[in-house]
Amino acid sequence: MAKMKAIEAVAKILELEGVTKAFGVPGAAINPFYAALRGLGSIEHVLARHVEGASHMAEGYTRANPGNIGLCIGTSGPAGTDMITGLYSAMADSIPILCITGQAPRARMHKEDFQAVDIEAIAKPVTKWAICVMEPAQLIGTFQQAFHIMRSGRPGPVLIDMPFDVQMAEIEFDAEAYVPMIPYKPAATRIQIEKALTMLNESEKPLLVSGGGVINANADKQLTEFAELVNVPVIPTLMGWGTIADDHELMAGMCGLQTSHRYGNANMLASDFVLGIGNRFANRHTGSVEVYTKGRKFVHVDIEPTQIGRVFCPDLGIVSCAGAALDLFLEVAKEWKAAGKLKDRSAWVAECKERKSTMQRKTNFDNVPVKPQRVYQEMNKVFGRDTTYVSTIGLSQIAAAQFLHVYSARNWINCGQAGPLGWTIPAALGVVAADKSRNVVAISGDYDFQFMIEELAVGAQFKLPYIHVLVNNSYLGLIRQAQRGFDMDFCVQLSFENINSPELGEYGVDHVKVVEGLGCKAIRVYKPEEIAPALEQAKKLMAEFSVPVVVEVILERVTNVSMGVEIDAVNEFEELAEKGVDAPTATISLLD
């Protein structure tokens, strides 16, 4: 057995568990760990400007590719509390990240020592596991268990807090004998799958609802193959967007109150059966349970037993990893097809396709200042099928989901349930850090962009290039729209006359100057016809300088984006598409 510092064993375990990248901020209480990382030499470190930013970078890194687990590092006290938003975001969306914090020496933890806080207690509600390790020899098993917990069942984050003297103690550790634990993944049984397929087969107008669990299981290809085999249209959730390509004939649109398509809601309302796989039936997808469930039966497949029945009681619940369930669905469906047992769905598929081709929203506006719909139309023209979009919350994200196109799993990376402002920049940097060859495009409104704008310096320093489309109406747009119900427009305006940039008029912050001051490139446009050339120029600048490039589009101050309180009562505030030219980048159109 080899004797070494406990923290050196920790660094080696991270390497053995497959960690190659870390995001963090050093500090006194975590310096032993940084020394161990430096000595190991195999884990690259990205220095964030804010520890919350590091936690979102870790999350973006995890989401970028199957099997990734992002690592976030910080010192004691405020570093841990800064991580809480990132942990909450990861927990809410079932994303495994590992957060590591330093801590005061054990003898001083109860003495109100400088930057000593009970981060274990603070983090427990937003993690799968949070622990402060009080015995040096327990670090090995703790980290082994951490990876097992993150990967088992419903994925999620873990926080490990390490007192300074625990890190520095000497222990015995044999790296050659270390073996990662095999994660636990529940799997559906054949009888469950046969019952679910029987219900699907007995229905007239079935749909598949594909959630983020399908992406977590790396099972998007099985999902599409199964849909094709049974010839049933698919409604992806926002977190499952990309599990079937937007231009696939079985892609029936997204359903929901905000990030939805008109045809997606219409297809859901016309259905009589839903097979949900790896989804939560979140309220912004369903609206009220009464409207969403009326007249249809449900089968719910989820990896987490307590998710089944959480929102409403399905007719059949199956506890299973989405990948394992889809493998078995494919096996049984192939047998049934060979035996001639699968029902012909061509009429129902044609009905859904007809809605998709005619129920489009208009994007082709020529207004100045620019309407947001036009921004996404131009993005569809300029960016290819392999583009990875990153976004978090706000009218910018809602409109992006309504108008952009996604063709592959992990090409829409969105913070779903938590939706913290500021998530987009660091998450996009984390995605690029996972794969610098990837074409990454982030989408933000001006407030999301301002929340963690300092992290752009990380992209400049570490050469993490991506394009950031900033739609600027100098408003908290989503909150302003929500305030309409209270007959007010209060404390949501970001506009002011910038004494240093009078050319901006009332649009306030000069994002171009700030971005350039952080070492990146920026372009500002005012007219619709300027958008596509600016995006093309951004590609060239990104390739030349290997830094983030921001394209700011000055929008009209007030725009109300389509949304409602029920999936059968979505308000359409703008003109709808009547001809193909009204929505020229729609994936399908029979309007002409």
Side-chain angles (χ1 to χ4, degrees), residues 496-508 510 513 526:
F496 63 93
E497 293 185 2
N498 190 327
I499 60 173
N500 298 305
S501 302
E503 70 277 10
L504 285 174
E506 61 180 345
Y507 281 81
D510 191 332
K513 287 181 180 177
Y526 294 90

Side-chain angles (χ1 to χ4, degrees), residues 52-54 56-58 60 422-431 452 455 466:
E52 182 187 339
H56 298 325
M57 290 174 200
W423 186 88
T424 308
I425 292 175
L429 293 170
V431 175
M452 302 205 78
E455 300 304 328
Y466 76 96

Side-chain angles (χ1 to χ4, degrees), residues 1 7 71 79 83 91 156 163 218 222 226 232 252 286 307 331 351 354-355 373 415 429 435 447 481 503 514 526:
M1 292 282 282
I7 203 61
L71 173 61
M83 293 176 188
M91 186 70 176
N218 199 29
Q222 295 98 304
F226 175 61
V232 171
T286 65
Q307 283 295 334
E331 180 182 318
E351 183 182 327
E354 172 72 14
R355 293 191 189 95
Q373 294 85 349
C415 180
L429 293 170
D435 182 2
Y447 210 42
Q481 186 167 336
E503 70 277 10
V514 177
Y526 294 90

Side-chain angles (χ1 to χ4, degrees), residues 224-376:
T224 298
E225 184 183 355
F226 175 61
E228 292 171 344
L229 186 62
V230 295
N231 201 27
V232 171
V234 178
I235 299 276
T237 68
L238 185 65
M239 300 304 293
W241 197 11
T243 49
I244 188 168
D246 266 11
D247 58 353
H248 195 290
E249 68 172 2
L250 292 175
M251 202 296 198
M254 285 192 286
C255 172
L257 306 181
Q258 296 177 337
T259 53
S260 60
H261 303 108
R262 293 179 64 218
Y263 52 90
N265 284 345
N267 286 329
M268 175 60 72
L269 291 165
S271 70
D272 63 0
F273 173 82
V274 172
L275 169 55
I277 304 176
N279 65 303
R280 294 190 299 109
F281 292 113
N283 68 301
R284 293 197 175 187
H285 165 79
T286 65
S288 73
V289 169
E290 291 74 22
V291 171
Y292 186 78
T293 61
K294 185 179 180 180
R296 55 194 64 87
K297 293 183 178 180
F298 288 84
V299 172
H300 188 196
V301 180
D302 198 274
I303 198 169
E304 169 54 46
T306 61
Q307 283 295 334
I308 295 173
R310 183 183 291 271
V311 178
F312 59 84
C313 183
D315 296 271
L316 175 65
I318 299 174
V319 179
S320 178
C321 165
L326 282 165
D327 287 342
L328 201 49
F329 270 121
L330 280 167
E331 180 182 318
V332 176
K334 286 175 182 177
E335 294 174 7
W336 285 21
K337 184 171 185 178
K341 291 173 64 175
L342 292 180
K343 188 177 290 186
D344 180 11
R345 302 290 180 190
S346 54
W348 168 237
V349 169
E351 183 182 327
C352 291
K353 189 174 180 180
E354 172 72 14
R355 293 191 189 95
K356 184 177 182 179
S357 66
T358 57
M359 298 182 70
Q360 296 285 342
R361 295 182 173 112
K362 182 175 178 177
T363 58
N364 202 18
F365 294 96
D366 292 326
N367 304 56
V368 179
V370 177
K371 281 189 174 292
Q373 294 85 349
R374 181 63 182 269
V375 177
Y376 304 102

Side-chain angles (χ1 to χ4, degrees), residues 157 201-202 214 235 376 467 478 529:
N201 220 30
E202 290 173 349
V214 175
I235 299 276
Y376 304 102
I467 294 174
L478 179 58
E529 61 271 20

Side-chain angles (χ1 to χ4, degrees), residues 42-186:
S42 62
I43 298 176
E44 183 182 346
H45 183 269
V46 175
L47 176 63
R49 297 305 189 264
H50 191 296
V51 185
E52 182 187 339
S55 69
H56 298 325
M57 290 174 200
E59 193 180 349
Y61 179 86
T62 294
R63 291 176 186 240
N65 294 310
N68 281 6
I69 291 184
L71 173 61
C72 173
I73 308 168
T75 190
S76 58
T81 56
D82 285 345
M83 293 176 188
I84 294 300
T85 301
L87 288 166
Y88 164 42
S89 170
M91 186 70 176
D93 289 343
S94 307
I95 303 299
I97 65 171
L98 177 59
C99 286
I100 297 176
T101 52
Q103 180 59 274
R106 287 171 289 181
R108 302 201 58 82
M109 287 173 62
H110 68 292
K111 297 180 183 291
E112 297 187 358
D113 209 37
F114 177 68
Q115 292 189 336
V117 68
D118 189 353
I119 194 62
E120 175 186 338
I122 294 170
K124 274 184 175 177
V126 291
T127 56
K128 285 190 76 175
W129 190 38
I131 185 171
C132 178
V133 184
M134 300 298 284
E135 293 297 331
Q138 285 189 309
L139 280 173
I140 297 169
T142 298
F143 274 85
Q144 189 177 39
Q145 175 76 332
F147 282 94
H148 183 250
I149 288 172
M150 285 187 287
R151 292 170 175 148
S152 292
R154 179 185 179 183
V158 166
L159 179 136
I160 300 177
D161 189 39
M162 301 183 297
F164 188 91
D165 56 327
V166 170
Q167 298 177 57
M168 295 296 290
E170 281 202 339
I171 62 169
E172 299 281 354
F173 176 61
D174 187 343
E176 291 183 357
Y178 181 89
V179 179
M181 296 173 67
I182 298 172
Y184 164 70
K185 303 280 186 183

